[in-house]
Each structure stands twice: as C-alpha cells, then as structure tokens.
Amino acid sequence: MSSRFLIVGAGFSGAVLAHRLAELIPGCMINVWEEKPHIAGNCFTERDERTGVMVHKYGPHIFNTDNKEIWDFVNRFIQLRPFAHKVKATYNGVVYTLPVTLHTINQFFGKAFSPAEAKEFVRSKTSTFANPANFEEQALSMIGPELYKAFFYGYTKKQWGCEPTELPATNLKRLPLRFNYNDVYYAHEHIGIPEEGYTPLVHQLLNRNNIELSLNKKFTPGEDLTAYDHVFFTGPIDYFFNYKLGRLSYRTITFETIYSEGDYQGTAVMNYCDPEIPYTRITEHKHFTPWEKHESTICFKEFSKETAEHDIPFYPKRLAADKQLLKNYRAEALKQKNVSFLGRLGTYRYMDMHHVIGESLKFAETFAACFENKTTKPAFPNTEE
Ligand code: UDP
C-alpha cells in the first residue's frame, strides 16, 4: 500500500514540503488541506480588478536571501525580477530613509558627517550592554536614544502592542545600520519580486499528480488522523492542541484600502513612526512591479492589533510568557505519534519566506531519510524553543 501523508496548510512551508516529499518518496499520496479559499498563505498575491495592479493581499513580501540554493529553487518555478527595495519613514512631518543610513543620520541631526565621523558620533551616543536582552537594549546599543525614539520606539509599540523592552532583541537585528548611502532595505545578495506574484509559485509546487489540494478545508483539533502515515501541521501549534495550555500571542494586521490616480506616495513602502499616527505603514503595490504601467493605484494602510479568536495570526510576539508556553506545547508535540510541526505558525517564530522555504526543503530530506530507514521522525525542524 502506498504511503499517505496529510499536510495542513498550503502556504510556503506546506507547499514546499509537499513538493519535495512527492519527489523524494515515490508513490506516496499527499493530501493538503487549506482552510482559506486560496493557496500561498500570507504570501498570497492577486491582481486587483479595478486597477490591474498585483496586490500583496497580506502585506508586502519582498523575496530576499543570501542562499543561492533557495534562490535557484524558487527560480525553477517562476521568474523573479531584481528589485531594489527602498523604504521611507515619516517622523514628525519629515521623510527619512530606512534602514538608518548615513543619509538618515546626517538628515536627522542636521550634519554632513563622513562615514567615520558618523560612526564615532553614533558610538558616542550608544549605551553598552554586554548582551542586549531585548529590543530596546539592542537599539540603545546600536543607534542611541534619539534615533531609537524617532524611528523605532513608536513604530514598534504600534506594531507589537507592548513596550520594546518586552520584545526579543532579534526583531531589531533584522534591520542593518549603515554608515554609507546604500539605502536598499535588505542586505541580502538576491532580492526579487516574482513577475506574476507568489501565488503561481505555490500553484506550481502543488501541481503534481500525487498531491491533492482541498481548499476551504479546516483542520479540527483532535480529529481522527489514523488514515495517514504522517501528518505535517503548519497551522498554529496551540490551535492543534485546541489551546488546552493557553494561547500564544500574535499580532494581526488589518488593511484599509486606498484607491487613487497616478502616484499616491512615490514609493512602495512608507513607514509612519510617530506613535500618534494609528497605522504603521502604507504600501503602494504598483511600485513592486516597476516593469508594469498603471494609471490608477491601490494602497494598503496597515493597522496592527492583538489577535482575537477569529483573526488571522501574523506576527508571533514571543514574549517571555509565550516562550514558556511554547516550551510546554513542544513537549506535548513530542508525545504525538507521527505528527510534525513546521513553518512560522507551527514553530511559532518570526520567519521570512526564504527561511520557511529553506527549512521545509531540509525537513523533507530529513523526513524522507527517516521514513526510508524506519527511524523516528522529528517533530520539529528546529531545536530552539
Ligand atoms: N521597525 C521599526 N520602525 C520601522 C521599521 C521597523 O521600529 O520603521 C521595527 C519593528 O519593531 C519591526 C521590526 O523593526 O517589527 C522589523 O521590521 P521589518 O521591516 O523587518 O518588519 P516586517 O516587514 O516583517 O513587518
């Protein structure tokens, strides 16, 4: 009898895993259940009917990685066009460049520093923490109090709904600090936007004879899974256990759509760093496809809030209490037979697309080897808690 697997979730983690398992385990049958009416999870893109613009329905996604294997993997299925992502930030009525570059520093402090002068100036403002324990300590040791207050404190409070002292330092480590005029947001070697959005990539990954996709199919905690040799769960790990130990905290995002003619803001992403402005950023989608021409424009204004029962979880907050709860859920997961947890929601981590893809590819290899050798299959792709 052929092996039968269930993958819950048709986002990147589930789709990459399905595709690679289908390649690695000949003859297996894979069911993919997706609760949404569409594939691609929060990377879902579709053309807006009114403007014809390709819209990132769950917020801006720019593919960026240093890993050539992952870049090549994605390019096997779709064409990624090079895209130099540049972000502007409004604070106190002035527009600056983000990440913090030499231009941001000179503009903010009204100076004309050279790189070496700016480095020394910023260093004189920073505090020393042997091991920055949270977002705020990381920021104060990296950029000092003025730049922190202007560009990070207000934005981060709006985005995460808590004091930056409660957040992991790693959230800030995502952003570089540059003492030059390079204003490309990501420091990665490969940066691109798929010509026709991300949805065709996921479609192609799942488009195989031995993969059966069911949309609008919600997984119910506790349901009978005995028909499957193994289950891969990419939804929220606390949902899998019906929240029996409590809820992990997430931020969710709501979008207000703005239609306009011409060019609304002149760039793809404008962040709003003042705490009094209720939204965090505005994305103007047509700037992600500079190779297309559109007269009209569509923008999303992003509002961040705590995730309530029926909201879509976006950002794992990973506060101290969450980390303890995650530990307990991971212990529960290890007691399961034949269930693995993957992806941003399954492992409760703030992950980028390339992390998710890389981890699913690797996990498929590990799983296939265990399956063939009849050894214990890992419950998680990562050991970190
Ligand atoms: N951040 C900030 N101000 C900004 C941009 C980012 O304080 O103008 C902080 C914020 O806490 C955010 C984190 O840096 O959550 C990571 O930013 P990134 O742009 O990577 O966020 P994403 O695009 O994943 O929402």
Side-chain angles (χ1 to χ4, degrees), residues 1-20:
M1 219 178 67
S2 66
S3 329
R4 204 170 185 91
F5 303 128
L6 171 65
I7 297 180
V8 179
F12 268 139
S13 56
V16 170
L17 184 76
H19 183 87
R20 197 69 189 114

Side-chain angles (χ1 to χ4, degrees), residues 219-239:
F219 171 90
T220 311
E223 75 178 85
D224 182 10
L225 300 169
T226 47
Y228 298 99
D229 293 289
H230 200 89
V231 175
F232 303 88
F233 190 75
T234 72
I237 184 169
D238 52 347
Y239 175 73

Side-chain angles (χ1 to χ4, degrees), residues 65 77 122 125 129 137 183 194 196 241 246 273 296 315 324 333 340 343 348:
T65 183
F77 302 96
V122 171
K125 292 185 167 291
F129 295 94
E137 288 185 8
D183 60 349
E196 283 299 321
F241 294 104
C273 298
S296 309
Y315 293 89
Q324 183 53 50
S340 302
Y348 191 64

Side-chain angles (χ1 to χ4, degrees), residues 190-217:
H190 309 285
I191 313 172
I193 295 274
E195 200 162 60
E196 283 299 321
Y198 295 96
T199 313
L201 165 60
V202 179
H203 174 76
Q204 288 204 47
L205 288 168
L206 295 172
N207 192 18
R208 293 182 70 104
N209 286 340
N210 50 346
I211 298 178
E212 191 184 309
L213 169 71
S214 309
L215 294 176
N216 300 303
K217 177 120 178 90

Side-chain angles (χ1 to χ4, degrees), residues 62-64 71 81-83 85 184 186 188-193:
I62 301 94
F63 197 85
N64 65 99
W71 178 255
R81 291 257 200 152
F83 182 78
H85 186 45
V184 177
Y186 300 110
H188 290 142
E189 196 176 335
H190 309 285
I191 313 172
I193 295 274

Side-chain angles (χ1 to χ4, degrees), residues 98 135 151-152 155-156 160 174 185 271 281 315 350:
L98 269 191
F135 187 101
F151 298 112
F152 296 101
Y155 186 99
T156 296
W160 295 95
R174 294 167 59 83
Y185 199 65
N271 289 356
R281 60 186 174 189
Y315 293 89
Y350 189 176

Side-chain angles (χ1 to χ4, degrees), residues 16-287:
V16 170
L17 184 76
H19 183 87
R20 197 69 189 114
L21 285 180
E23 283 180 338
L24 290 166
I25 306 180
C28 71
M29 271 309 299
I30 304 175
N31 288 96
V32 178
W33 293 358
E34 171 54 57
E35 66 172 306
K36 290 182 176 140
H38 62 74
I39 57 172
N42 282 8
C43 301
F44 178 59
T45 47
E46 73 176 356
R47 277 198 192 277
D48 175 54
E49 278 185 18
R50 204 162 131 181
T51 58
V53 171
M54 185 63 73
V55 170
H56 298 208
K57 296 294 269 196
Y58 299 86
H61 284 79
I62 301 94
F63 197 85
N64 65 99
T65 183
D66 279 333
N67 186 316
K68 176 125 181 10
E69 253 175 72
I70 296 173
W71 178 255
D72 289 344
F73 175 79
V74 171
N75 276 283
R76 261 171 53 196
F77 302 96
I78 50 166
Q79 178 161 14
L80 282 159
R81 291 257 200 152
F83 182 78
H85 186 45
K86 297 182 180 189
V87 173
K88 298 290 165 203
T90 300
Y91 173 68
N92 203 15
V94 181
V95 177
Y96 298 91
T97 286
L98 269 191
V100 174
T101 65
L102 185 52
H103 195 242
T104 322
I105 296 164
N106 277 333
Q107 188 186 3
F108 186 79
F109 292 103
K111 302 284 185 192
F113 288 137
S114 69
E117 287 166 344
K119 206 174 220 169
E120 180 46 35
F121 177 78
V122 171
R123 199 206 50 77
S124 73
K125 292 185 167 291
T126 56
S127 318
T128 311
F129 295 94
N131 208 351
N134 58 56
F135 187 101
E136 183 162 297
E137 288 185 8
Q138 178 68 31
L140 293 175
S141 66
M142 197 169 128
I143 52 171
E146 293 96 335
L147 291 167
Y148 167 58
K149 180 169 173 283
F151 298 112
F152 296 101
Y153 181 73
Y155 186 99
T156 296
K157 264 190 95 165
K158 289 192 288 186
Q159 168 73 5
W160 295 95
C162 61
E163 284 298 323
T165 46
E166 294 178 69
L167 292 165
T170 45
N171 287 15
L172 183 66
K173 285 187 199 151
R174 294 167 59 83
L175 305 188
L177 162 66
R178 298 199 189 113
F179 296 102
N180 57 38
Y181 291 101
N182 173 11
D183 60 349
V184 177
Y185 199 65
Y186 300 110
H188 290 142
E189 196 176 335
H190 309 285
I191 313 172
I193 295 274
E195 200 162 60
E196 283 299 321
Y198 295 96
T199 313
L201 165 60
V202 179
H203 174 76
Q204 288 204 47
L205 288 168
L206 295 172
N207 192 18
R208 293 182 70 104
N209 286 340
N210 50 346
I211 298 178
E212 191 184 309
L213 169 71
S214 309
L215 294 176
N216 300 303
K217 177 120 178 90
K218 196 170 166 71
F219 171 90
T220 311
E223 75 178 85
D224 182 10
L225 300 169
T226 47
Y228 298 99
D229 293 289
H230 200 89
V231 175
F232 303 88
F233 190 75
T234 72
I237 184 169
D238 52 347
Y239 175 73
F240 182 90
F241 294 104
N242 206 15
Y243 308 112
K244 69 176 182 183
L245 306 175
R247 277 177 185 267
L248 292 164
S249 59
Y250 283 95
R251 294 296 277 180
T252 193
I253 304 291
T254 56
F255 301 97
E256 195 180 295
T257 305
I258 303 166
Y259 281 107
S260 178
E261 288 309 304
D263 196 350
Y264 182 80
Q265 63 179 13
T267 193
V269 176
M270 174 70 77
N271 289 356
Y272 288 85
C273 298
D274 298 271
E276 302 76 29
I277 295 176
Y279 44 92
T280 52
R281 60 186 174 189
I282 298 180
T283 298
E284 185 166 9
H285 298 271
K286 73 177 179 182
H287 292 299

